[in-house]
Amino acid sequence: MATKLKNISRNRLTKIIAFALSMLMVWLAINDLGDFLFKNKSGDISLIFESLFADSYYETSRAHSRIHNGTYYVLERASDGFSASPYLIKQLDLLEFAVTDEEGNTMLTSDSKYNIDQFRKGNYIVYSNGTITEVGGDISESLIGAFNYRADRKAVISFPDEYWGEGFENYNENRDAVRNLASVEFNRLIVFLVCVIYLIMVSGRKPEDNLVHTIFPDNIWTEVHLFGLIFLVSMAFIAMSEMSYAYSPYVVKSSYNFGKFLICIAAEGIYALAMWIFLSLVRKIKARTLIKGTCLGWLWHKIKAFFKAVSAFCGEFIRNFTGVEFKDVHFAAGFHKIQVRFVAISVLLFVALCFSAFFALAIWNMQFFWILICISIIILECVLIWHYIKKTTRYSQSMARLLVQIDKVSSGDLDYYAGIDDGDPLVDSSDKLANISEGLSEALEEQMKGERMKVELITNVSHDLKTPLTSIISYIDLLKKEEMNDVAKDYVGILAQKADRLKGIVSDLFDLAKTNSGNAQLDIKPLDFTKLTNQLLADMEDKIKASDAKLKINLAPSPVVIRADGKKLSRALQNVVDNALKYSLAGSRIYIDLVKTEENAVLSVKNTSAFEMDFTADEIMQRFVRGDKNRSTEGTGLGLSIAQSFTQVSGGSFDVAIDGDQFKTVFTFPVYADEVITSSEEIK
């Protein structure tokens, strides 16, 4: 369920719907605000939205401003030489007031019938000691202590309803409408914020993984994104500041609709671009590339890379110049010393030559002397080059001799020695290589000696076992001829069976030992591989019929002439086919294929094993190793070893391949197309 929700939330269509919904909220907000302003015909946006928080008109900044202006001009009107515009005089005439000096003498009053205290009626203020000390009616008490002006006068000013003008009427008319609009816009703001927060959370995410995926715009420098975002926000504030003018009371219906449409389109475009940039910055923050993606970050990275490269170059130059890395290698250290000396002296001679040539041209009276110096420097450089070539040639010759020695040793000539002179830098390396060769030769000799002893032991044991085993078999044959009960006959039959098997094992050991020792007598002749295989299968017809396996034979047309020992190759083929018949899955097929190419004749025997083959090709080729680890079937574990040995001494190669339950043996012999087989005996 969680995975399904994740796939839905990160789906591209869901993201598009959320973005479109946020754009719709912006469009509706601007449209409703414009309709409200046009309907109420007021260009004073601040007064309209103050009604959201002010309980009455008298708590608004507009009312406070008119109280301040009225108080100021009333106090100034009591002074000599006061002058004001007709509009201002008309506004002041609406006020009821009395102004006195510090002694209480009346300086100015709107009605001489009343004393100063009688003007404390309706909405009024009392001005004393340079500030407002008392308010009455609906005027906010927050004005007490405000308006620090003239401290030498006292006044009581009453503000009738006519003084407040249209602002008072607009406030009362728009207050409920503004609050209803604010409630709707607040709900839209919640929807808008939910969409934006959702877009922030899923930006850069895909349903199939939790990685952050960036797109092409995210590769733009962060500064460009920030400047673009600041520019778009500024454009939005400018559009908001022009809104009161675009929806002023002097705009007619047709102009209003067109202006509203243009402002909504502009606002949507600004919002879309700003959101596009903002989400790109969000993806950068998630991918932790906000700082790396800046121009300054890129520049800092390049500077670091430059200094790192310079540092690496300097370090490598110092190491190469000083030869620290190979100071313990005599040959490398000596060769490096020659190079450094040659380069250093050559540079010094070149500098000296340049100075000498300059002085030869600049000092005419000593020109001959400096020319001689230049010639001397050139001669010294030639001597230095000759010395360098001589030294490097010696090193190269020694290296060439050592490489020849390495090639000889790697090719099997362990007794070869390069004959490098004593004192040569490479004489130690040559001696070490000679010691390695000597050690390898001794180890190889010991190994061969052990193999010979092993073969001799097996041969001797097999030979010694043959005589008593032959006697046992003879006596078993005699026992079979004697009169005995059925139980005894069964015992004798079992003895005969086990004796024959033991005889086969001893014979296999003896043949294998003789073959591996190199003492086996071989009769290598041309023979037809196809006929040899057919004859072998014909001889094994009874075994094949007795098994559950089915043979699929595909042999190349005769003749396929090879050179081999017919008896040993026939024995090797027999062992392989026996194994296939014993260990194949019941009812499966055994494939015997003989393919002739231009160079080789390849015979393969492939079968499906009846049990799991948890061994490798190398392991099954070892002596006494059987594929049937439970040893529930007959076998000695020598069949494949004998097949390999007999095939190799006959001039071919024997390979085993395992692929799952498929077991495959391959015989490969060179083809002798020009050979002529003279008799059927050679084929056999």
Side-chain angles (χ1 to χ4, degrees):
M1 185 66 181
T3 303
K4 186 175 181 180
L5 290 175
K6 183 181 73 171
N7 293 337
I8 295 175
S9 64
R10 295 182 179 181
N11 187 275
R12 179 176 295 180
L13 179 60
T14 310
K15 296 178 183 178
I16 293 174
I17 292 174
F19 184 73
L21 185 60
S22 67
M23 292 187 68
L24 178 62
M25 295 299 103
V26 173
W27 180 285
L28 293 176
I30 297 175
N31 184 74
D32 290 353
L33 178 60
D35 289 345
F36 174 80
L37 294 176
F38 182 80
K39 178 180 178 182
N40 291 279
K41 294 295 183 181
S42 175
D44 193 346
I45 298 178
S46 62
L47 177 62
I48 293 175
F49 286 98
E50 272 191 278
S51 61
L52 291 172
F53 311 102
D55 293 332
S56 67
Y57 172 76
Y58 303 103
E59 295 181 0
T60 64
S61 60
R62 173 66 66 85
H64 291 180
S65 177
R66 292 188 68 83
I67 291 172
H68 286 176
N69 291 338
T71 304
Y72 173 79
Y73 285 110
V74 165
L75 295 176
E76 286 297 318
R77 191 174 184 181
S79 304
D80 296 334
F82 172 77
S83 62
S85 64
Y87 173 77
L88 183 58
I89 296 298
K90 183 179 179 180
Q91 293 292 316
L92 293 177
D93 289 340
L94 297 174
L95 298 175
E96 297 177 0
F97 57 86
V99 181
T100 64
D101 57 14
E102 293 178 343
E103 287 77 16
N105 299 319
T106 301
M107 299 178 63
L108 181 66
T109 180
S110 60
D111 191 345
S112 58
K113 298 178 182 180
Y114 300 103
N115 59 33
I116 190 170
D117 292 328
Q118 290 177 324
F119 288 101
R120 298 187 182 194
K121 58 181 179 178
N123 297 315
Y124 70 91
I125 66 164
V126 177
Y127 182 85
S128 177
N129 297 323
T131 187
I132 297 174
T133 58
E134 182 183 344
V135 296
D138 295 326
I139 295 177
S140 174
E141 293 183 356
S142 62
L143 291 173
I144 296 176
F147 196 70
N148 188 10
Y149 184 49
R150 301 190 66 157
D152 57 346
R153 297 178 184 180
K154 299 180 181 179
V156 177
I157 305 173
S158 178
F159 299 91
D161 293 342
E162 295 81 4
Y163 176 73
W164 304 112
E166 295 181 356
F168 181 74
E169 298 176 359
N170 291 334
Y171 175 84
N172 293 328
E173 292 177 0
N174 298 333
R175 180 177 59 185
D176 294 337
V178 169
R179 292 184 178 181
N180 291 334
L181 177 64
S183 176
V184 174
E185 297 302 332
F186 179 75
N187 293 331
R188 289 174 180 165
L189 178 62
I190 293 176
V191 175
F192 174 80
L193 291 177
V194 169
C195 293
V196 172
I197 293 173
Y198 163 76
L199 290 173
I200 291 174
M201 294 175 62
V202 301
S203 181
R205 304 289 187 182
K206 291 186 177 181
E208 58 267 19
D209 54 46
N210 290 321
L211 302 176
V212 178
H213 300 270
T214 58
I215 57 178
F216 170 72
D218 301 342
N219 297 328
I220 301 174
W221 284 339
T222 304
E223 290 90 345
V224 177
H225 284 158
L226 293 176
F227 290 150
L229 193 60
I230 293 172
F231 172 76
L232 292 174
V233 172
S234 302
M235 292 293 293
F237 277 111
I238 293 174
M240 290 295 296
S241 65
E242 294 294 329
M243 184 176 293
S244 62
Y245 171 76
Y247 297 122
S248 67
Y250 305 102
V251 177
V252 297
K253 182 68 175 178
S254 59
S255 300
Y256 153 71
N257 288 330
F258 182 70
K260 182 181 71 171
F261 177 75
L262 290 180
I263 289 181
C264 288
I265 291 296
E268 293 286 41
I270 292 174
Y271 168 74
L273 289 175
M275 200 64 184
W276 181 73
I277 295 174
F278 175 72
L279 292 179
S280 180
L281 293 174
V282 169
R283 288 190 294 271
K284 283 191 171 188
I285 293 174
K286 290 182 178 181
R288 299 181 180 180
T289 59
L290 184 67
I291 304 301
K292 295 180 181 179
T294 61
C295 179
L296 294 177
W298 174 82
L299 185 61
W300 173 248
H301 176 73
K302 292 297 181 183
I303 292 174
K304 282 176 44 179
F306 171 76
F307 281 106
K308 185 177 180 180
V310 171
S311 176
F313 172 78
C314 293
E316 184 177 0
F317 176 79
I318 293 173
R319 288 194 301 270
N320 292 336
F321 189 79
T322 57
V324 175
E325 294 182 351
F326 39 80
K327 64 179 181 179
D328 296 331
V329 182
H330 184 57
F331 171 79
F335 193 77
H336 178 265
K337 188 182 296 183
I338 294 173
Q339 289 179 320
V340 171
R341 288 177 180 176
F342 174 74
V343 172
I345 297 174
S346 295
V347 170
L348 292 176
L349 291 176
F350 176 75
V351 173
L353 181 62
C354 292
F355 276 103
S356 301
F358 172 76
F359 288 131
L361 296 174
I363 305 175
W364 291 96
N365 56 350
M366 299 183 66
Q367 189 176 28
F368 180 73
F369 172 75
W370 290 110
I371 291 175
L372 290 177
I373 295 296
C374 291
I375 294 173
S376 301
I377 292 173
I378 293 173
I379 294 173
L380 286 175
E381 180 65 23
C382 292
V383 172
L384 180 65
I385 293 173
W386 174 82
H387 179 74
Y388 176 76
I389 293 174
K390 180 181 178 181
K391 285 286 188 180
T392 54
T393 301
R394 180 187 174 190
Y395 275 84
S396 300
Q397 291 173 346
S398 301
M399 178 58 71
R401 292 177 182 175
L402 183 62
L403 292 175
V404 171
Q405 183 178 358
I406 293 173
D407 290 339
K408 292 291 186 180
V409 172
S410 63
S411 62
D413 188 0
L414 301 180
D415 297 329
Y416 182 84
Y417 183 70
I420 299 176
D421 299 333
D422 293 338
D424 192 281
L426 289 176
V427 66
D428 292 339
S429 300
S430 179
D431 292 341
K432 291 177 181 178
L433 183 60
N435 293 335
I436 294 174
S437 301
E438 184 178 353
L440 287 174
S441 180
E442 293 177 356
L444 183 60
E445 185 177 352
E446 289 293 329
Q447 182 179 2
M448 294 300 296
K449 182 179 179 181
E451 288 292 330
R452 286 194 298 270
M453 291 179 64
K454 187 187 301 183
V455 170
E456 290 176 0
L457 176 63
I458 294 174
T459 303
N460 293 334
V461 170
S462 300
H463 187 271
D464 292 340
L465 286 174
K466 272 190 174 183
T467 301
L469 185 59
T470 302
S471 299
I472 292 174
I473 293 173
S474 298
Y475 281 109
I476 290 174
D477 291 338
L478 292 175
L479 283 174
K480 288 180 179 180
K481 297 176 182 179
E482 297 294 331
E483 293 293 335
M484 61 185 71
N485 57 33
D486 293 339
V487 175
K489 287 182 179 180
D490 291 338
Y491 290 159
V492 171
I494 294 173
L495 285 174
Q497 182 182 358
K498 299 303 180 181
D500 289 339
R501 184 180 178 188
L502 182 59
K503 180 181 178 182
I505 294 174
V506 172
S507 178
D508 289 344
L509 277 174
F510 188 74
D511 292 340
L512 185 61
K514 287 180 63 178
T515 303
N516 290 337
S517 65
N519 296 325
Q521 294 180 354
L522 299 176
D523 185 15
I524 305 296
K525 293 181 180 180
L527 55 87
D528 189 339
F529 207 176
T530 301
K531 290 185 178 180
L532 177 68
T533 306
N534 284 326
Q535 182 177 348
L536 174 68
L537 295 175
D539 294 341
M540 299 181 67
E541 185 176 0
D542 294 339
K543 286 187 177 181
I544 295 172
K545 289 181 179 180
S547 67
D548 294 331
K550 298 179 181 179
L551 267 64
K552 292 292 183 180
I553 303 171
N554 182 22
L555 303 180
S558 181
V560 179
V561 182
I562 62 173
R563 290 182 63 85
D565 186 318
K567 292 182 179 180
K568 286 184 169 48
L569 181 55
S570 179
R571 174 70 181 281
L573 289 174
Q574 182 181 358
N575 286 354
V576 169
V577 176
D578 275 339
N579 280 349
L581 294 173
K582 288 178 184 177
Y583 303 120
S584 291
L585 184 66
S588 63
R589 296 180 177 86
I590 299 174
Y591 295 88
I592 301 177
D593 300 316
L594 176 60
V595 179
K596 178 182 178 183
T597 64
E598 294 182 359
E599 297 181 354
N600 296 317
V602 180
L603 176 68
S604 63
V605 179
K606 181 170 65 175
N607 67 286
T608 302
S609 175
F611 50 85
E612 182 181 357
M613 293 186 290
D614 55 350
F615 49 80
T616 64
D618 292 335
E619 291 174 349
I620 198 64
M621 292 298 296
Q622 300 297 320
R623 300 168 189 169
F624 300 106
V625 175
R626 296 175 59 183
D628 180 14
K629 293 188 176 181
N630 295 327
R631 297 184 177 267
S632 58
T633 58
E634 293 185 0
T636 62
L638 296 172
L640 293 179
S641 297
I642 293 173
Q644 183 184 37
S645 299
F646 283 8
T647 303
Q648 290 176 349
V649 299
S650 296
S653 63
F654 180 83
D655 298 296
V656 171
I658 298 174
D659 184 9
D661 291 335
Q662 296 293 318
F663 187 84
K664 182 178 180 181
T665 55
V666 181
F667 297 84
T668 305
F669 284 89
V671 173
Y672 291 87
D674 297 333
E675 294 286 351
V676 178
I677 303 176
T678 58
S679 67
S680 60
E681 291 298 324
E682 292 178 348
I683 295 176
K684 295 180 181 179

